[in-house]
Amino acid sequence: MIAWTLFRRNQTAPRTATMNRLRRKACVALLLFTLFIFGTMMGLRTLKPTDGFSDLAPGMELMPLVGERIDQRPNQVVESAGQNGAGGSDTKIVFSSSGPDHSIFYDIHIFYYLWYGSPQMDSSYIHWDHVLVPHWDPKIAASHPNGRHNPPDDIASSYYPELGPYSSRDPDVIESHMAQIEAAAAGVLVLSWYPPGVADEHGKPTEDVVPAVMDAAHRHSIKVAFHLQPYKGRTELSVHDNIKYIIDKYGTHRAFYRFKSSTGKILPLFYVYDSYLTPPEAWAELLTVRGSLSLRGTPYDGIFIALIVEERHKQDILAGGFDGMYTYFASNGFSFGSSHQNWKAIKAFCDKNNLLFVPSAGPGYMDTAVRPWNNHNTRNRVNGRYYETSLQAAMSVRPDIITVTSFNEWHEGTQIERAVPKKTVARLYLDYKPHQPDHYLELTRKWAEHFSKEKEQWLM
């Protein structure tokens, strides 16, 4: 037994030594392979996207990883009319013409209004002389002032613009506005739009000014999306014609905004204000594949974002075939949609149903210069703290886009445009003191940069 045991040990020893050598070689090979993979990954992380200006302001490259949306449209990809250079750079941050120190962010969209007029450019003041809207209850209306404002000293706003009561068609004003928006780093101007010959009840048609705005926007590396406003007789058929008109006329312009979806489709993006005024069944005729007026899969397809005001609008927006919803109003608590506490639930609904949720942040709200009875919806700015709270609430739900209400809605006091102190015999206007007139532009840039950095963290 002892001899047999010694024989077995002598025979096993060489085999054990061989196995050990093989194991060591395998470990070394695995280590070298691991180092190779690690080195390759680190090298890829150092690659930067192109810093050149892209004709396509991309939508959201992070979308497939943050609340991934699955496009349920037909699989074929159809380019929109005039979609030139669709294979351009997919950088999220596109450096502006002023250089790399002034980056601009195409996931920050800002609402912009063209409805102002002055005697020098328009033969009379428009909108600055807005009427004092009476309350619908005669008893309440009787206890508040009526009439209309009398510019230039008395304007329909609680704040006074640095440019004075300007005309929206003044080229110098347009240029100043684009420079301010660029300074704020907001990459997409969302233009309040009416069809040719149509205007809001207090204004005049402005569609002829759109080309000048788009040209100026392009000079400042800003993209332009369209905010479809309600008008008398707006139906799914008229909106079909409106979309066709916009894409045919502006689709080839280098400032025309297109959004890159998670599926790689690059389509124009439209916001539809007061979308709830049209029944979901009518919208479905336009926005679903089987609709009688369907835009889906045609050269006029797009990303259509509806306004959510009441909670029930969630289901209506889904049934109507929209691609997402936005909240617009800058008064926290004013509506279900504008209440920050509801954004998490709205975002969850959108994620579940492959919709975009686009929260709207604003610097404050004060419309008593046109609705003197609406003081209960006022939201004071608190030197910018209200705005920062609103932006933080928007970021907390990890949206793909944040909208800012607004650049220049002076009637409702939501503007971030430069304002200055102003005192007249009859009026004392609010201002941004103790800060400078560009305070809210600076805050917008600060949070746009923060939003971009947060998205990078979401990937990790």
Side-chain angles (χ1 to χ4, degrees), residues 8 11 35 40 60 72 95 123 131 160 174 204 207 214 252 298 315 330 382 388 408:
R8 289 188 60 187
Q11 293 297 314
L35 289 173
T40 302
M60 175 53 199
Q72 295 180 330
F95 291 119
S123 75
V131 299
Y160 204 86
I174 295 172
K204 295 181 179 180
E207 208 285 326
M214 296 192 74
T252 58
T298 76
Q315 294 294 340
V382 202
E388 296 198 84
N408 64 339

PDB file of all heavy atoms in Angstrom, residues 8 11 35 40 60 72 95 123 131 160 174 204 207 214 252 298 315 330 382 388 408:
ATOM      1  N   ARG A   8       1.787   6.631  -6.962  1.00  0.00           N
ATOM      2  CA  ARG A   8       0.728   7.544  -7.431  1.00  0.00           C
ATOM      3  C   ARG A   8       1.138   9.007  -7.238  1.00  0.00           C
ATOM      4  O   ARG A   8       0.886   9.864  -8.072  1.00  0.00           O
ATOM      5  CB  ARG A   8      -0.590   7.266  -6.690  1.00  0.00           C
ATOM      6  CG  ARG A   8      -1.231   5.943  -7.104  1.00  0.00           C
ATOM      7  CD  ARG A   8      -2.608   5.809  -6.507  1.00  0.00           C
ATOM      8  NE  ARG A   8      -3.476   6.903  -6.960  1.00  0.00           N
ATOM      9  CZ  ARG A   8      -4.703   7.098  -6.471  1.00  0.00           C
ATOM     10  NH1 ARG A   8      -5.156   6.300  -5.507  1.00  0.00           N
ATOM     11  NH2 ARG A   8      -5.449   8.055  -6.931  1.00  0.00           N
ATOM     12  N   GLN A  11       3.543  10.014  -9.908  1.00  0.00           N
ATOM     13  CA  GLN A  11       2.911  10.188 -11.215  1.00  0.00           C
ATOM     14  C   GLN A  11       2.046  11.464 -11.275  1.00  0.00           C
ATOM     15  O   GLN A  11       1.916  12.095 -12.311  1.00  0.00           O
ATOM     16  CB  GLN A  11       2.014   8.962 -11.525  1.00  0.00           C
ATOM     17  CG  GLN A  11       2.816   7.685 -11.732  1.00  0.00           C
ATOM     18  CD  GLN A  11       3.723   7.795 -12.942  1.00  0.00           C
ATOM     19  OE1 GLN A  11       3.291   8.241 -13.992  1.00  0.00           O
ATOM     20  NE2 GLN A  11       4.978   7.389 -12.794  1.00  0.00           N
ATOM     21  N   LEU A  35      -7.335  44.495 -19.361  1.00  0.00           N
ATOM     22  CA  LEU A  35      -6.638  45.784 -19.515  1.00  0.00           C
ATOM     23  C   LEU A  35      -6.892  46.376 -20.899  1.00  0.00           C
ATOM     24  O   LEU A  35      -7.062  47.593 -21.053  1.00  0.00           O
ATOM     25  CB  LEU A  35      -5.135  45.597 -19.278  1.00  0.00           C
ATOM     26  CG  LEU A  35      -4.716  45.319 -17.828  1.00  0.00           C
ATOM     27  CD1 LEU A  35      -3.239  44.976 -17.757  1.00  0.00           C
ATOM     28  CD2 LEU A  35      -5.019  46.523 -16.936  1.00  0.00           C
ATOM     29  N   THR A  40      -9.483  50.550 -24.033  1.00  0.00           N
ATOM     30  CA  THR A  40     -10.321  50.941 -25.161  1.00  0.00           C
ATOM     31  C   THR A  40     -11.475  51.827 -24.718  1.00  0.00           C
ATOM     32  O   THR A  40     -11.783  52.852 -25.325  1.00  0.00           O
ATOM     33  CB  THR A  40     -10.874  49.691 -25.873  1.00  0.00           C
ATOM     34  OG1 THR A  40      -9.772  48.889 -26.313  1.00  0.00           O
ATOM     35  CG2 THR A  40     -11.723  50.082 -27.079  1.00  0.00           C
ATOM     36  N   MET A  60     -32.741  64.963 -28.137  1.00  0.00           N
ATOM     37  CA  MET A  60     -32.209  64.524 -26.853  1.00  0.00           C
ATOM     38  C   MET A  60     -31.514  63.201 -27.037  1.00  0.00           C
ATOM     39  O   MET A  60     -32.146  62.170 -27.164  1.00  0.00           O
ATOM     40  CB  MET A  60     -33.368  64.409 -25.850  1.00  0.00           C
ATOM     41  CG  MET A  60     -32.976  63.854 -24.533  1.00  0.00           C
ATOM     42  SD  MET A  60     -31.609  64.738 -23.819  1.00  0.00           S
ATOM     43  CE  MET A  60     -31.088  63.510 -22.654  1.00  0.00           C
ATOM     44  N   GLN A  72     -44.254  54.245 -31.974  1.00  0.00           N
ATOM     45  CA  GLN A  72     -45.211  53.240 -32.423  1.00  0.00           C
ATOM     46  C   GLN A  72     -45.728  53.515 -33.831  1.00  0.00           C
ATOM     47  O   GLN A  72     -46.715  52.943 -34.264  1.00  0.00           O
ATOM     48  CB  GLN A  72     -46.394  53.198 -31.447  1.00  0.00           C
ATOM     49  CG  GLN A  72     -45.981  52.721 -30.060  1.00  0.00           C
ATOM     50  CD  GLN A  72     -47.137  52.687 -29.102  1.00  0.00           C
ATOM     51  OE1 GLN A  72     -48.077  53.462 -29.208  1.00  0.00           O
ATOM     52  NE2 GLN A  72     -47.078  51.794 -28.149  1.00  0.00           N
ATOM     53  N   PHE A  95     -21.907  74.979 -29.997  1.00  0.00           N
ATOM     54  CA  PHE A  95     -21.311  76.252 -29.639  1.00  0.00           C
ATOM     55  C   PHE A  95     -21.796  77.352 -30.578  1.00  0.00           C
ATOM     56  O   PHE A  95     -21.873  77.179 -31.775  1.00  0.00           O
ATOM     57  CB  PHE A  95     -19.788  76.155 -29.668  1.00  0.00           C
ATOM     58  CG  PHE A  95     -19.241  75.298 -28.574  1.00  0.00           C
ATOM     59  CD1 PHE A  95     -18.511  74.159 -28.857  1.00  0.00           C
ATOM     60  CD2 PHE A  95     -19.484  75.608 -27.240  1.00  0.00           C
ATOM     61  CE1 PHE A  95     -18.017  73.364 -27.839  1.00  0.00           C
ATOM     62  CE2 PHE A  95     -18.997  74.824 -26.225  1.00  0.00           C
ATOM     63  CZ  PHE A  95     -18.261  73.688 -26.523  1.00  0.00           C
ATOM     64  N   SER A 123     -47.906 102.196 -36.823  1.00  0.00           N
ATOM     65  CA  SER A 123     -48.885 103.306 -36.844  1.00  0.00           C
ATOM     66  C   SER A 123     -49.640 103.480 -35.533  1.00  0.00           C
ATOM     67  O   SER A 123     -50.316 104.499 -35.338  1.00  0.00           O
ATOM     68  CB  SER A 123     -49.883 103.162 -38.005  1.00  0.00           C
ATOM     69  OG  SER A 123     -50.846 102.153 -37.747  1.00  0.00           O
ATOM     70  N   VAL A 131     -56.553  96.197 -23.173  1.00  0.00           N
ATOM     71  CA  VAL A 131     -57.692  96.533 -22.315  1.00  0.00           C
ATOM     72  C   VAL A 131     -57.545  95.836 -20.967  1.00  0.00           C
ATOM     73  O   VAL A 131     -56.861  94.807 -20.839  1.00  0.00           O
ATOM     74  CB  VAL A 131     -59.024  96.110 -22.971  1.00  0.00           C
ATOM     75  CG1 VAL A 131     -59.235  96.836 -24.281  1.00  0.00           C
ATOM     76  CG2 VAL A 131     -59.082  94.601 -23.156  1.00  0.00           C
ATOM     77  N   TYR A 160     -41.445  97.110 -16.786  1.00  0.00           N
ATOM     78  CA  TYR A 160     -41.204  97.987 -17.926  1.00  0.00           C
ATOM     79  C   TYR A 160     -39.971  97.498 -18.687  1.00  0.00           C
ATOM     80  O   TYR A 160     -38.886  97.359 -18.112  1.00  0.00           O
ATOM     81  CB  TYR A 160     -40.977  99.427 -17.470  1.00  0.00           C
ATOM     82  CG  TYR A 160     -41.293 100.458 -18.533  1.00  0.00           C
ATOM     83  CD1 TYR A 160     -42.583 100.931 -18.701  1.00  0.00           C
ATOM     84  CD2 TYR A 160     -40.297 100.932 -19.380  1.00  0.00           C
ATOM     85  CE1 TYR A 160     -42.891 101.857 -19.681  1.00  0.00           C
ATOM     86  CE2 TYR A 160     -40.585 101.859 -20.370  1.00  0.00           C
ATOM     87  CZ  TYR A 160     -41.889 102.325 -20.517  1.00  0.00           C
ATOM     88  OH  TYR A 160     -42.191 103.252 -21.491  1.00  0.00           O
ATOM     89  N   ILE A 174     -35.642  92.819 -32.770  1.00  0.00           N
ATOM     90  CA  ILE A 174     -35.471  91.382 -33.016  1.00  0.00           C
ATOM     91  C   ILE A 174     -34.029  90.967 -32.754  1.00  0.00           C
ATOM     92  O   ILE A 174     -33.764  89.946 -32.109  1.00  0.00           O
ATOM     93  CB  ILE A 174     -35.891  91.033 -34.455  1.00  0.00           C
ATOM     94  CG1 ILE A 174     -37.395  91.274 -34.647  1.00  0.00           C
ATOM     95  CG2 ILE A 174     -35.540  89.574 -34.781  1.00  0.00           C
ATOM     96  CD1 ILE A 174     -37.865  91.137 -36.087  1.00  0.00           C
ATOM     97  N   LYS A 204     -52.660  92.302 -34.331  1.00  0.00           N
ATOM     98  CA  LYS A 204     -52.704  92.304 -35.782  1.00  0.00           C
ATOM     99  C   LYS A 204     -51.858  91.151 -36.308  1.00  0.00           C
ATOM    100  O   LYS A 204     -50.969  90.665 -35.609  1.00  0.00           O
ATOM    101  CB  LYS A 204     -52.180  93.645 -36.330  1.00  0.00           C
ATOM    102  CG  LYS A 204     -53.056  94.842 -35.968  1.00  0.00           C
ATOM    103  CD  LYS A 204     -52.490  96.128 -36.566  1.00  0.00           C
ATOM    104  CE  LYS A 204     -53.372  97.320 -36.218  1.00  0.00           C
ATOM    105  NZ  LYS A 204     -52.834  98.594 -36.788  1.00  0.00           N
ATOM    106  N   GLU A 207     -47.551  87.049 -39.205  1.00  0.00           N
ATOM    107  CA  GLU A 207     -46.858  85.962 -39.879  1.00  0.00           C
ATOM    108  C   GLU A 207     -45.772  86.477 -40.823  1.00  0.00           C
ATOM    109  O   GLU A 207     -44.758  85.807 -41.049  1.00  0.00           O
ATOM    110  CB  GLU A 207     -47.863  85.095 -40.647  1.00  0.00           C
ATOM    111  CG  GLU A 207     -47.456  83.643 -40.817  1.00  0.00           C
ATOM    112  CD  GLU A 207     -46.376  83.414 -41.852  1.00  0.00           C
ATOM    113  OE1 GLU A 207     -46.372  84.156 -42.862  1.00  0.00           O
ATOM    114  OE2 GLU A 207     -45.541  82.510 -41.670  1.00  0.00           O
ATOM    115  N   MET A 214     -36.525  84.284 -37.959  1.00  0.00           N
ATOM    116  CA  MET A 214     -35.735  83.078 -38.225  1.00  0.00           C
ATOM    117  C   MET A 214     -34.332  83.433 -38.710  1.00  0.00           C
ATOM    118  O   MET A 214     -33.352  82.788 -38.322  1.00  0.00           O
ATOM    119  CB  MET A 214     -36.463  82.183 -39.224  1.00  0.00           C
ATOM    120  CG  MET A 214     -37.785  81.662 -38.695  1.00  0.00           C
ATOM    121  SD  MET A 214     -38.526  80.351 -39.681  1.00  0.00           S
ATOM    122  CE  MET A 214     -37.482  78.964 -39.271  1.00  0.00           C
ATOM    123  N   THR A 252     -36.925  74.429 -45.004  1.00  0.00           N
ATOM    124  CA  THR A 252     -35.548  74.457 -45.507  1.00  0.00           C
ATOM    125  C   THR A 252     -34.687  75.503 -44.815  1.00  0.00           C
ATOM    126  O   THR A 252     -33.486  75.569 -45.077  1.00  0.00           O
ATOM    127  CB  THR A 252     -35.528  74.733 -47.019  1.00  0.00           C
ATOM    128  OG1 THR A 252     -36.193  75.974 -47.279  1.00  0.00           O
ATOM    129  CG2 THR A 252     -36.210  73.611 -47.787  1.00  0.00           C
ATOM    130  N   THR A 298     -45.921  60.856 -43.459  1.00  0.00           N
ATOM    131  CA  THR A 298     -45.905  61.723 -44.639  1.00  0.00           C
ATOM    132  C   THR A 298     -44.784  62.745 -44.488  1.00  0.00           C
ATOM    133  O   THR A 298     -44.174  62.857 -43.418  1.00  0.00           O
ATOM    134  CB  THR A 298     -47.245  62.478 -44.779  1.00  0.00           C
ATOM    135  OG1 THR A 298     -47.286  63.555 -43.829  1.00  0.00           O
ATOM    136  CG2 THR A 298     -48.439  61.548 -44.550  1.00  0.00           C
ATOM    137  N   GLN A 315     -55.581  61.622 -20.632  1.00  0.00           N
ATOM    138  CA  GLN A 315     -56.188  60.591 -21.474  1.00  0.00           C
ATOM    139  C   GLN A 315     -56.605  61.157 -22.824  1.00  0.00           C
ATOM    140  O   GLN A 315     -56.493  60.476 -23.859  1.00  0.00           O
ATOM    141  CB  GLN A 315     -57.391  59.969 -20.760  1.00  0.00           C
ATOM    142  CG  GLN A 315     -57.039  59.170 -19.509  1.00  0.00           C
ATOM    143  CD  GLN A 315     -56.213  57.925 -19.830  1.00  0.00           C
ATOM    144  OE1 GLN A 315     -56.189  57.440 -20.967  1.00  0.00           O
ATOM    145  NE2 GLN A 315     -55.528  57.395 -18.826  1.00  0.00           N
ATOM    146  N   ALA A 330     -46.959  79.582 -15.713  1.00  0.00           N
ATOM    147  CA  ALA A 330     -45.860  79.840 -14.774  1.00  0.00           C
ATOM    148  C   ALA A 330     -46.339  80.020 -13.343  1.00  0.00           C
ATOM    149  O   ALA A 330     -45.531  80.299 -12.457  1.00  0.00           O
ATOM    150  CB  ALA A 330     -45.078  81.072 -15.216  1.00  0.00           C
ATOM    151  N   VAL A 382     -39.464  86.898  -5.815  1.00  0.00           N
ATOM    152  CA  VAL A 382     -38.572  86.721  -4.669  1.00  0.00           C
ATOM    153  C   VAL A 382     -37.098  86.761  -5.133  1.00  0.00           C
ATOM    154  O   VAL A 382     -36.302  85.890  -4.801  1.00  0.00           O
ATOM    155  CB  VAL A 382     -38.863  85.412  -3.894  1.00  0.00           C
ATOM    156  CG1 VAL A 382     -38.338  85.521  -2.465  1.00  0.00           C
ATOM    157  CG2 VAL A 382     -40.336  85.061  -3.885  1.00  0.00           C
ATOM    158  N   GLU A 388     -35.841  79.705  -9.689  1.00  0.00           N
ATOM    159  CA  GLU A 388     -34.922  78.598  -9.433  1.00  0.00           C
ATOM    160  C   GLU A 388     -35.655  77.399  -8.840  1.00  0.00           C
ATOM    161  O   GLU A 388     -35.337  76.247  -9.163  1.00  0.00           O
ATOM    162  CB  GLU A 388     -33.787  79.059  -8.523  1.00  0.00           C
ATOM    163  CG  GLU A 388     -32.912  80.138  -9.169  1.00  0.00           C
ATOM    164  CD  GLU A 388     -31.572  80.288  -8.501  1.00  0.00           C
ATOM    165  OE1 GLU A 388     -30.647  79.530  -8.827  1.00  0.00           O
ATOM    166  OE2 GLU A 388     -31.450  81.179  -7.634  1.00  0.00           O
ATOM    167  N   ASN A 408     -40.947  86.982 -23.351  1.00  0.00           N
ATOM    168  CA  ASN A 408     -41.519  88.340 -23.399  1.00  0.00           C
ATOM    169  C   ASN A 408     -43.044  88.373 -23.337  1.00  0.00           C
ATOM    170  O   ASN A 408     -43.680  89.149 -24.056  1.00  0.00           O
ATOM    171  CB  ASN A 408     -41.024  89.083 -24.640  1.00  0.00           C
ATOM    172  CG  ASN A 408     -41.487  88.434 -25.949  1.00  0.00           C
ATOM    173  OD1 ASN A 408     -41.838  87.264 -25.985  1.00  0.00           O
ATOM    174  ND2 ASN A 408     -41.481  89.214 -27.019  1.00  0.00           N
TER     175      ASN A 408
END
